[in-house]
Amino acid sequence: MCGIAGFALAPGELEHTRADALLERIGRRGPDGSWVATHAGHCLVQTRLAIIDLDPRVTYPMPNEDGDVWLVFNGEIYDHAALRAELERHGHRFATRCDAEVVVHAYEQWGVGCFARLHGMFALAIADERSGDLVLARDRFGIKPLVRTTGDRMAFASDALALVAAGLSGGRIDPGAVREHLALHVVGAPLTGVEDLADLAPGSWLRRRRDGSEEAATYASVDPGGPAPREPVGLGDLEDALRLAVGRQLVADVPVGVFLSSGIDSSLVLSYAAELGARPAAFTIGFAGFGDYDERGGAAALAARLGVEHHYAELDVGFAEAVQEHGRAFDRPFADSSAIATLRLARLARGSVTVALSGTGGDELFAGYYRHRAHRLRRAGQLTPGRLAGWLAGRAAGGEGARRNALALFAGYAERLAAAGVGDEAAQYLALLTAADPGVLAASLAVPVDVHRSAAGFARRTGLRRRPGSTPARDFAGHDARSYLPSDLLVKEDRSTMAFGLEARVPLLDDAVLDVALRMPDSQKHGLRAGKLPLREIAARRLPGDVHRGRKRGFAVPLGPLLRGRWRDEARAWLHDAPSEWVDGPRAAALLDRTPVPAAAVWALVALAAWEQSLAEARGRAGRAVAGSGLRG
């Protein structure tokens, strides 16, 4: 796992100051080494977190035998041993055991066709001195980040703000991206929040030729479309795929752990790891005193049952520290509040391991979210969504603990379904994606924003629609895999872990698991009351009853109780004084006096203002980088 960057050199340019600025921002992604070199007219920059082959002779950019193809690489190729054997049969010679070297020779052998052969997570750049081409590529799901400039000058990096800090981007805020952030609490790829920067699409490659022309193609998809499957898949196929995925993602020359909640996905990952003979340490964040949010008890019980070492820590961070940590980690506006806990979890795990497996991806592949089956709930119910919301809210007020929280959650869903109307299933799904409290949010901004219009624009741009021969759940789960995963969950996991030099792996997004999921019909994945049924069925055989029978919770942070309690005064002061073009600080601070506190809206405003500050700092650093390059800009 590493950080990569690079840029086309201008005539007479001194590359070191821009390279230094890039290294300064991406350095935390690779604490074990850093390199800068020039090949094919491009300055290539890499930092390394050593995972496979710790020999110091592994250096970057990594060459082929002839020294005319050079690679910078971020990620892991899980089938690198098999590819190495095949390439050796073709006559290629290897100098290291590193998986990255397999990519160099695979490109040499098969050109851009090699990317479809790579099973793993990766973002990479190849400078081909034979042709003068620069080739960028990214894995099928977009697990690893790769940001590029969209103007005349090619530059790329693992981090958008690195390009701003190096003076390779103008650093101007993209208003459309900010509006999407306010509507969805994330910026939908390929937008980054900066006007002249874009994410390279998952499962794609791009070739930049010497003359500046470009060629691009998609080599793999997570949502192939076509008619919905009708025949059920044997559960043994999924069990074999999970076993294979976990087994090959445990391979490392450094200690490996598992992020463990009390949910099905991470519990299955740990269970298969234990079955395979590994005993990876498990890591959990606790929320003592916050009732249903605290999953530590279930996680501890499973770890004890499987005989693995269990580490946990309380979320004891203060508001200002949480905001500062968040601002340093994220290169774009990002308001998924579970990142607060993920950052703490990564910090905890990095004290013992260098790699951590997580359960990310099960909901997207196996229709685990309520929004995937909301159309069924409305058709089955006798109440309209509006009346249903009122009924659920009343029941929640009289409930206790987990039941109260679940009813309140469903009431919020029903309110958004009511706002979407009754005519269109895609509109329902989008309503469940869109931020709650849009009016509250809009009233706290210095710039007018129509949240619903921004959400509709996102839907058009990301291809949210019903397709002939398909089903609502298949269309919406596919949309999540194309948009929500690379824009939210994988951004959160990558930035939070790499902030501490920790590699995160996602076995449930392994190609083997995806291939099984794509063959499963809806009826096998979800019913009216629950989603990801095949994972639940496997969990029922392997895990304690309180895990596989538990309701879907996600990795939730008690944001409301924190903002009502010990974070309240600090948050009010921070918001009141925050310099921001978009957020009206005093009006945002006043939200903390509401009952209940609109916690998600408050955190979206905080995250936006914090990112604006990080962007301003990067722009300030850019002036020094440009001055030292010998150019005017």
Side-chain angles (χ1 to χ4, degrees):
M1 194 61 57
C2 309
I4 64 172
F7 56 94
L9 283 165
E13 182 174 20
L14 302 175
E15 75 271 15
H16 69 277
T17 52
R18 292 194 195 272
D20 287 347
L22 292 168
L23 284 170
E24 187 177 306
R25 177 74 194 183
I26 67 173
R28 63 187 184 276
R29 300 183 65 93
D32 297 328
S34 62
W35 299 269
V36 177
T38 299
H39 296 287
H42 291 82
C43 176
L44 303 179
V45 178
Q46 168 122 16
T47 66
R48 187 185 188 210
L49 176 64
I51 303 294
I52 301 291
D53 193 350
L54 310 186
D55 193 310
R57 288 175 294 182
V58 175
T59 61
Y60 291 90
M62 186 167 284
N64 64 342
E65 302 99 327
D66 298 329
D68 52 16
V69 176
W70 298 84
L71 169 78
V72 287
F73 179 80
N74 172 26
E76 300 291 344
I77 305 303
Y78 300 125
D79 61 341
H80 66 93
L83 278 172
R84 179 189 302 268
E86 183 178 357
L87 288 163
E88 286 175 336
R89 289 194 293 272
H90 284 289
H92 293 271
R93 304 183 308 279
F94 289 80
T96 75
R97 292 190 301 107
C98 185
D99 58 328
E101 191 178 4
V102 171
V103 179
V104 180
H105 295 290
Y107 174 80
E108 193 179 15
Q109 182 68 33
W110 298 301
V112 293
C114 75
F115 303 128
R117 291 172 169 259
L118 303 179
H119 295 291
M121 54 181 187
F122 59 87
L124 60 85
I126 294 171
D128 189 338
E129 293 187 331
R130 302 169 301 182
S131 62
D133 292 346
L134 181 77
V135 178
L136 307 180
R138 196 173 178 207
D139 66 70
R140 188 179 198 175
F141 278 99
I143 300 169
K144 293 291 97 190
L146 190 55
V147 180
R148 59 153 301 188
T149 52
T150 58
D152 292 336
R153 184 178 192 177
M154 167 57 76
F156 64 90
S158 300
D159 183 288
L161 293 184
L163 294 170
V164 176
L168 296 163
S169 161
R172 291 181 295 275
I173 292 177
D174 178 356
V178 172
R179 291 187 177 97
E180 278 194 10
H181 160 78
L182 293 167
L184 303 160
H185 293 179
V186 297
V187 173
L191 306 183
T192 63
V194 179
E195 278 189 345
D196 57 356
L197 298 178
D199 288 327
L200 187 71
S204 74
W205 57 262
L206 180 146
R207 189 200 316 270
R208 177 88 166 201
R209 297 188 180 89
R210 195 193 304 270
D211 63 5
S213 63
E214 290 184 357
E215 175 188 8
T218 297
Y219 70 84
S221 173
V222 298
D223 178 29
R230 295 182 179 276
E231 295 298 321
V233 176
L235 209 59
D237 290 357
L238 179 55
E239 291 179 293
D240 290 344
L242 291 168
R243 192 174 291 109
L244 171 64
V246 172
R248 65 185 177 188
Q249 296 197 26
L250 283 169
V251 175
D253 295 333
V254 294
V256 178
V258 173
F259 288 164
L260 181 65
S261 70
S262 63
I264 289 173
D265 301 335
S266 62
S267 297
L268 280 175
V269 169
L270 184 61
S271 171
Y272 278 107
E275 177 192 304
L276 291 165
R279 288 293 182 270
F283 300 90
T284 304
I285 287 294
F287 304 105
F290 291 102
D292 193 39
Y293 288 99
D294 195 354
E295 301 183 72
R296 184 180 56 194
L302 179 62
R305 173 173 169 167
L306 296 175
V308 304
E309 186 179 344
H310 186 226
H311 302 261
Y312 66 86
E314 297 293 340
L315 186 73
D316 58 356
V317 62
F319 175 82
E321 185 182 358
V323 173
Q324 183 181 46
E325 197 166 70
H326 186 280
R328 283 197 304 263
F330 288 90
D331 64 338
R332 60 199 61 203
F334 189 82
D336 183 336
S337 62
S338 63
I340 300 166
T342 307
L343 283 158
R344 293 276 119 174
L345 186 60
R347 180 196 290 269
L348 170 67
R350 191 60 176 94
S352 304
V353 301
T354 311
V355 175
L357 277 59
S358 81
T360 297
D363 291 295
E364 288 72 25
L365 296 194
F366 298 98
Y369 295 121
Y370 296 119
R371 59 181 176 263
H372 297 154
R373 61 184 190 277
H375 59 285
R376 296 186 61 170
L377 179 66
R378 187 178 68 178
R379 289 171 181 171
Q382 296 180 347
L383 295 173
T384 64
R387 292 181 63 193
L388 180 61
W391 182 80
L392 288 167
R395 295 293 295 271
E400 294 183 1
R403 178 176 173 77
R404 179 188 63 229
N405 291 341
L407 289 169
L409 181 67
F410 276 113
Y413 288 155
E415 286 177 3
R416 283 186 267 177
L417 289 177
V422 297
D424 183 69
E425 291 161 333
Q428 274 191 322
Y429 164 84
L430 184 61
L432 294 176
L433 273 182
T434 305
D437 305 318
V440 170
L441 194 67
S444 304
L445 296 171
V447 178
V449 172
D450 184 330
V451 169
H452 291 298
R453 183 176 180 182
S454 298
F458 163 82
R460 288 191 298 273
R461 189 168 56 76
T462 56
L464 172 59
R465 65 188 185 280
R466 292 297 322 283
R467 296 174 293 190
S470 187
T471 64
R474 183 173 170 84
D475 288 342
F476 303 152
H479 184 266
D480 270 352
R482 295 194 312 272
S483 60
Y484 179 63
L485 258 177
S487 299
D488 187 325
L489 298 186
L490 295 174
V491 168
K492 176 184 67 177
E493 193 146 298
D494 174 82
R495 307 310 193 273
S496 297
T497 54
M498 294 311 295
F500 300 100
L502 177 73
E503 173 173 298
R505 296 179 178 177
V506 281
L508 296 185
L509 296 182
D510 192 279
D511 288 339
V513 180
L514 173 64
D515 290 344
V516 175
L518 291 176
R519 291 191 281 117
M520 281 189 171
D522 285 358
S523 59
Q524 193 174 3
K525 290 184 178 181
H526 70 88
L528 181 61
R529 294 172 60 88
K532 57 184 181 189
L533 296 179
L535 294 181
R536 290 180 181 276
E537 188 173 345
I538 294 172
R541 303 175 185 178
R542 305 179 61 91
L543 303 174
D546 57 344
V547 173
H548 69 80
R549 287 194 295 268
R551 68 173 178 86
K552 167 67 185 167
R553 288 186 290 188
F555 188 31
V557 172
L559 190 61
L562 285 168
L563 289 172
R564 289 193 304 270
R566 56 188 172 95
W567 279 11
R568 184 175 180 174
D569 292 342
E570 203 175 357
R572 181 187 286 110
W574 189 93
L575 277 167
H576 197 278
D577 297 333
S580 171
E581 296 177 26
W582 287 80
V583 179
D584 185 313
R587 281 191 282 174
L591 296 178
L592 295 164
D593 296 324
R594 292 195 175 209
T595 303
V597 173
V602 170
W603 188 250
L605 296 167
V606 168
L608 177 56
W611 174 77
E612 287 184 82
Q613 293 174 31
S614 296
L615 179 62
E617 291 169 6
R619 285 196 296 253
R621 176 69 174 83
R624 301 193 298 276
V626 171
S629 70
L631 300 176
R632 294 184 180 274

